[in-house]
Each structure stands twice: as structure tokens, then as C-alpha cells.
Amino acid sequence: MIRTFIKKITHPFLKFFTENYFNKTRNYTYKNITVKVVPSVFPPHYTISTKILLDYISSLDLKEKTLLELGCGSGIISLFAASKNATVTASDINKNALNALKTAADYNKLNLTILYSDLFQKLQKSPFDVIIINPPYYPKNPKNIKENAWFCGEDFEYFKNLFFQLDTREDKLVLMILSQDCDLEKIKNIADTHNIKLECVLEKKVLAENNFIFSIKKTFN
Ligand SMILES: C[S@@+](CC[C@H](N)C(=O)[O-])C[C@H]1O[C@@H](n2cnc3c(N)ncnc32)[C@H](O)[C@@H]1O
């Protein structure tokens, strides 16, 4: 879990590689859509979660569906969903990410609503057809805007707030990716206290790491 992650980024070579590689703005392309990933934004190149979500939504019929990417980072998922004719809202608390996404939307000639919002705070109350979440999941308090992409708070505050807020919403399909690298039991237990269960809709092993896409369902207990 966190040990694996710490091992991943504290290994001298990987630390040097990640710090230097992502200190520069890098392009990321998926099916003819290109975004510029600025240094303070979650890099979809190095992690595999973004790509797994992109491949998964490739198979969904998104035409005329409303879709929210909660915590959009580079926004590649939002742009791809817009290219599949969804009506997309992309939200984040990282203003650098949102500014870069505005430029990427123009560059790719795609329309979407880009919004600063802490979870659902500034988002419409009416339900979305689809919500996509690639959450931060390592238990540590984020010290800066970049770390918000990785750390969910020492006591998993991100998940506590997320499930609390989802409990009062009526969105149709809420998909969240997690991996064996995080404390799945803890996150499931937090969901449970809000009468929410995580139903696995995809399990995918990449480079010896199991990744899971969960559909977030209310249990009405
Ligand atoms: C793991 S990154 C995923 C980025 C993008 N969705 C992707 O798949 O490439 C998590 C994102 O959630 C954002 N985030 C963290 N806490 C948030 C919050 N409370 N409200 C909205 N976004 C948040 C981070 O800034 C970051 O961009």
C-alpha cells in the first residue's frame, strides 16, 4: 500500500526521474486528443489509472449524456467524453489544471464546462448521468495543490466528504477507480457508514498492480 508508493517515488532513480520528467510541461495524447500537462497537475503518463478509465469509457455510449469528471486534473477524460458527444463538466480545486484545460479545450475544438469546485460544492444539484472519479488515496495531509492529486488526508477526509455528499445526490452512474495500492477495506468501510457500497465493474492487472473500477451504489439501509 503506502509502502509500495513510497518505495516507488523514493527509489533514487525514480525520484530523480519523476521530479525531473514532470518538472516540465508534457503532452499527453489519447485517440487524437492532446493535453499539455503542467508541472503541478496529475500526470496521466506515469500512472495507469487515467488510461484504464479512458479505455473503459470508450465502450460507453455517452451521446447526449451529462458527464462530470470530479477532480479532472489534465482533463483528458473530460475532453475524450466531449468528443463522444457527452455534455461534460470538468471540476477541480487545482486552478493551474483548470486554466490548462481551457486552453486544451480550444486546441482540440471541444466544448465543456470547466469549474472550480471542492467536491460537489459548486456543482449543480440535478443528477449527472455519469460521474468519473480518479481520487487521491494515500493517507497523508496534502501540503500543496500538487499533493491534492495524491493524498486524501491523514484520516481519509476526501472519502468521508465524498461519500457524505454523494449520499444526498441522485446521480445515475458513479464510477471510481482504485487500486490494490490503496487501503480498499478502509475506503469500503467509510462508504458503508454512508450506506454506500462499491461494486466492482472492472478488474485490470497492469505491471503486477491490480486496478478496480467501482460503481458507487446507494444501499438505502
Ligand atoms: C488522481 S488525480 C486524477 C486526475 C484526472 N481525473 C485523471 O484521471 O487523470 C485527482 C484529482 O482530484 C483533484 N482533487 C483532489 N481533491 C479534490 C477536491 N476536494 N475537490 C475536487 N477535486 C479534487 C486533484 O487536484 C487532482 O486533479
Side-chain angles (χ1 to χ4, degrees):
M1 289 184 332
I2 191 138
R3 280 196 308 277
T4 323
F5 170 67
I6 289 169
K7 235 190 287 163
K8 271 184 199 162
I9 61 164
T10 55
H11 184 283
F13 174 73
L14 276 182
K15 193 165 192 283
F16 176 82
F17 172 77
T18 50
E19 279 177 8
N20 283 279
Y21 189 83
F22 292 114
N23 237 347
K24 294 196 181 89
T25 296
R26 302 269 171 191
N27 283 356
Y28 179 78
T29 299
Y30 184 79
K31 294 192 180 170
N32 298 330
I33 298 172
T34 297
V35 290
K36 285 195 184 302
V37 186
V38 299
S40 60
V41 173
F42 181 77
H45 333 60
Y46 168 60
T47 56
I48 43 188
S49 49
T50 311
K51 171 75 166 50
I52 293 173
L53 282 170
L54 283 163
D55 289 344
Y56 187 80
I57 69 167
S58 283
S59 62
L60 300 182
D61 178 12
L62 296 178
K63 198 166 178 217
E64 287 163 26
K65 301 259 168 69
T66 55
L67 180 143
L68 165 69
E69 187 185 7
L70 187 85
C72 60
S74 69
I76 186 74
I77 293 174
S78 295
L79 292 169
F80 179 57
S83 78
K84 285 173 63 71
N85 296 317
T87 302
V88 176
T89 303
S91 69
D92 209 294
I93 49 171
N94 182 337
K95 288 185 179 160
N96 298 334
L98 299 176
N99 287 334
L101 179 53
K102 279 178 198 147
T103 309
D106 290 345
Y107 176 80
N108 290 284
K109 300 188 173 44
L110 291 165
N111 272 331
L112 66 169
T113 302
I114 299 168
L115 205 68
Y116 180 93
S117 178
D118 184 346
L119 295 175
F120 290 98
Q121 221 169 43
K122 296 275 163 52
L123 287 157
Q124 61 194 53
K125 282 273 177 271
S126 54
F128 288 94
D129 292 319
V130 184
I131 299 182
I132 307 286
I133 311 173
N134 182 2
Y137 53 59
Y138 296 108
K140 193 181 141 189
N141 292 329
K143 287 199 295 285
N144 52 49
I145 200 69
K146 190 176 181 177
E147 288 193 0
N148 278 317
W150 302 93
F151 301 127
C152 62
E154 236 162 51
D155 199 25
F156 291 77
E157 287 83 351
Y158 174 95
F159 291 97
K160 289 182 176 172
N161 294 331
L162 175 70
F163 295 136
F164 173 76
Q165 293 180 28
L166 278 173
D167 203 9
T168 61
R169 297 184 55 92
E170 298 296 334
D171 306 291
K172 290 190 189 136
L173 177 65
V174 184
L175 298 172
M176 177 166 74
I177 191 159
L178 293 170
S179 98
Q180 68 177 59
D181 209 18
C182 72
D183 193 340
L184 281 173
E185 277 323 296
K186 172 85 182 178
I187 294 166
K188 282 182 178 170
N189 285 340
I190 298 169
D192 219 31
T193 63
H194 293 282
N195 299 324
I196 282 172
K197 74 174 164 56
L198 305 185
E199 198 179 284
C200 187
V201 295
L202 179 90
E203 183 171 348
K204 188 165 178 153
K205 197 171 198 157
V206 183
L207 299 173
E209 182 177 338
N210 264 324
N211 296 273
F212 310 93
I213 296 182
F214 291 104
S215 170
I216 297 181
K217 297 250 168 86
K218 292 198 203 180
T219 57
F220 301 105
N221 281 334

